[in-house]
Amino acid sequence: MKKPIAWILDTTGYVTDEFQSHPDVYVVPLNIHFDAEEYIDDGVDLSNTQLYEKIKSAKEFPKTSQPSAGKFAELYEKLKDQYECAIAVHASAKMSGTIASSTAGAEMTGFKVYAVDSLALSYGLSGLIERGMLLAQQGKTAEEIAHRLEQETHDFRNYILIGNLSQLYKGGRMSGAQYYLGSLLKVKPIVQITAEGELQPIDKVRSHKKAIQYLIDLANQDHQEYGIERFQIMHANVHGEAESLKQEVLKIAPQAEILIGDLSSSLAVHAGEGTIALMWRKPAI
């Protein structure tokens, strides 16, 4: 007898400890390229520590690539004998072609896959899968779950403090003049993935301390208005700062459940070492 639902995510999402040990969760990794060298973003082929060291010494800016349709087809071919269908939650289509590869892989195998554009990255994917699992426990069908998750993508809030301007500059996401002025003035750019799934700057703050306070103020605003009690802090090799931010959030929401996690390698390549993000989801209605 087949199981009802397999859960799929790619490595732009945060792979929680629960996901790593869950028998029905499958993670499809992106690829990271340093010149002619290619690594799989699985935490084994290239650890985060190794990634940051390679970035510092690399002559060319590293790139990432989505999993191929063939890679997804290989997985789905195996799963179609074990499951009735799958729900796949992927990075925003505005920032990655992964969902297109996933859909193409499903078509190649004839396996029913409900592909959900998270309109997000990192915990934006993971939180939707957690939500989907809860809905499945409540007896919802896969089609109902996928539809509900698509509706709830707009409830995700994320505020990202970029930690390394030079990495944005190397990656072509900042002009030379912007990089020079930003470094000179010690500007801390804060960006957000919008409700449409696009990455856009929302503010520039003149000190790291003020930037952290900016994140806390936004969290407090939604805590007061919506009673938010679950937050996620994602970081790129700055665990101490993440712990410090957690303590500050607990000052405004003492009962809050706060998860701290590493940005995946495929995200850290673009965000840069030192990046820290504060995320949460508004309560589903």
Side-chain angles (χ1 to χ4, degrees), residues 22-76:
H22 198 293
D24 300 321
V25 174
Y26 299 85
V27 181
V28 182
L30 274 71
N31 303 302
I32 301 172
H33 306 268
F34 284 89
D35 296 326
E37 296 179 303
E38 180 177 304
Y39 299 88
I40 299 172
D41 182 17
D42 58 3
V44 177
D45 199 20
L46 183 69
S47 69
N48 276 1
T49 300
Q50 292 171 321
L51 171 73
Y52 297 124
E53 290 302 319
K54 287 188 71 67
I55 288 175
K56 290 175 183 176
S57 60
K59 294 180 181 179
E60 296 291 331
F61 185 79
K63 297 179 175 64
T64 58
S65 63
Q66 68 210 44
S68 67
K71 180 65 70 174
F72 279 105
E74 182 181 338
L75 172 62
Y76 294 152

Side-chain angles (χ1 to χ4, degrees), residues 160-187:
I160 308 158
L161 172 58
I162 299 297
N164 193 328
L165 292 181
S166 65
Q167 199 141 318
L168 284 181
Y169 172 55
K170 284 182 181 179
R173 291 168 175 78
M174 175 180 284
S175 70
Q178 288 174 320
Y179 172 58
Y180 174 75
L181 289 173
S183 300
L184 184 67
L185 300 174
K186 300 187 185 308
V187 165

Side-chain angles (χ1 to χ4, degrees), residues 145-165:
I145 294 169
H147 179 66
R148 185 62 176 268
L149 296 185
E150 288 171 347
Q151 292 178 316
E152 293 184 10
T153 57
H154 300 290
D155 296 330
F156 186 59
R157 298 291 179 266
N158 63 96
Y159 300 95
I160 308 158
L161 172 58
I162 299 297
N164 193 328
L165 292 181

